[in-house]
Amino acid sequence: EYLNTASTGEYVKLDNKLYRVIDVEDGYTKVISDDAINKDNRPLTTNPDGLADKISYNPTDKGSVAYFINNRASEFINTSYFASRKINVPVYKNKIIYGEEVKTKSYKAKIFAPNMYEMFSAQTNLYGHVSSSYWYLNSSNGKRIAGAVTDIGVPLNKETRYLSFGIRPCGYIKDNAIVTSGLGTRNNAYITKKHLWVSSIMNRKRKNKKNCHLFKVLIFGLFILLILF
């Protein structure tokens, strides 16, 4: 069974890290990590360039949190499960208020921060679990305004010149991921095996090669019939 048949809200484990399914888009399973990234049993935090007037979420800007997430996440999680996909970053005039974005910018990334207004992006204390702080990708044209969640679960929507927050990764799992076990619950999440992904790709290639061969045989047969008749 392919992972992209999973339902919104179900769970999957990748290298023993827990993710929750947000949605399935064009065969790619969009997920959000159950918690922020930890390094040496402590939350990994980062902050944007303190000299910039605006805090933009831009994976190509070295002073942006997005650049750190997109280029350094592979040091802490296995990004080979994820496909590089287009992400949309809503930009607001001032405060980050739902429905009041003035434009949207698009980038390509494997790993990215959650959208403040997307499912499961709020901090949760279900099952006695409390996440660390983390950045949102929502951006503002206002001076140093950005979205984040604090350690105690309070959404932040104000000037954040010298503040650091963690990284709660989101991404699109590749469309050929196969479920080998699990029920999709938090305590019994879906498990996928990477070697099966490769097998799946090889099977597709073999099938395509076989179909190509059959097509050539059919064309050759038609050519012979034309000669005979």
Side-chain angles (χ1 to χ4, degrees):
E1 181 183 13
Y2 285 98
L3 180 64
N4 57 19
T5 62
S7 300
T8 296
E10 291 189 307
Y11 290 87
V12 57
K13 271 191 176 180
L14 305 175
D15 280 359
N16 210 35
K17 293 186 182 298
L18 192 63
Y19 295 83
R20 197 168 192 185
V21 176
I22 298 173
D23 199 2
V24 176
E25 301 176 10
D26 300 323
Y28 297 88
T29 309
K30 188 176 185 180
V31 296
I32 181 171
S33 174
D34 195 49
D35 203 349
I37 293 175
N38 284 298
K39 180 184 179 183
D40 300 327
N41 295 320
R42 299 184 64 180
L44 175 72
T45 60
T46 185
N47 62 309
D49 183 354
L51 299 177
D53 287 335
K54 296 178 183 177
I55 300 178
S56 62
Y57 191 92
N58 182 350
T60 65
D61 179 1
K62 290 185 177 181
S64 172
V65 169
Y67 185 88
F68 182 92
I69 294 174
N70 197 44
N71 291 277
R72 299 279 308 276
S74 60
E75 298 176 23
F76 312 101
I77 61 174
N78 189 342
T79 60
S80 66
Y81 291 101
F82 300 96
S84 181
R85 297 271 293 168
K86 184 180 81 170
I87 61 170
N88 294 318
V89 177
V91 181
Y92 302 78
K93 182 177 180 180
N94 193 29
K95 287 194 173 183
I96 300 169
I97 300 173
Y98 181 75
E100 295 191 8
E101 57 267 36
V102 292
K103 61 182 176 180
T104 300
K105 292 187 175 182
S106 296
Y107 306 96
K108 288 197 75 173
K110 267 192 174 184
I111 303 297
F112 48 91
N115 186 318
M116 181 184 288
Y117 297 111
E118 196 162 46
M119 293 189 72
F120 314 124
S121 65
Q123 194 185 84
T124 177
N125 61 357
L126 294 174
Y127 314 102
H129 166 80
V130 178
S131 178
S132 306
S133 69
Y134 49 90
W135 290 99
Y136 284 128
L137 58 71
N138 308 68
S139 300
S140 171
N141 285 330
K143 187 175 181 181
R144 302 292 300 178
I145 292 177
V149 172
T150 67
D151 286 323
I152 58 174
V154 177
L156 196 66
N157 189 355
K158 65 176 185 179
E159 184 175 341
T160 56
R161 182 172 295 276
Y162 302 111
L163 298 180
S164 293
F165 297 102
I167 298 167
R168 187 180 178 190
C170 295
Y172 289 92
I173 298 176
K174 293 176 180 177
D175 60 348
N176 58 351
I178 295 176
V179 174
T180 59
S181 62
L183 298 175
T185 64
R186 191 174 191 278
N187 294 323
N188 190 8
Y190 293 129
I191 303 295
T192 67
K193 295 292 185 182
K194 283 195 295 182
H195 71 275
L196 290 178
W197 299 17
V198 177
S199 297
S200 175
I201 294 171
M202 294 304 294
N203 286 338
R204 290 183 189 180
K205 288 183 177 179
R206 282 194 289 267
K207 184 177 180 181
N208 290 337
K209 188 175 181 180
K210 182 179 179 181
N211 290 340
C212 183
H213 177 71
L214 290 173
F215 180 76
K216 288 179 179 178
V217 171
L218 178 61
I219 294 298
F220 180 75
L222 290 173
F223 179 74
I224 296 297
L225 287 173
L226 288 172
I227 292 175
L228 292 175
F229 297 99

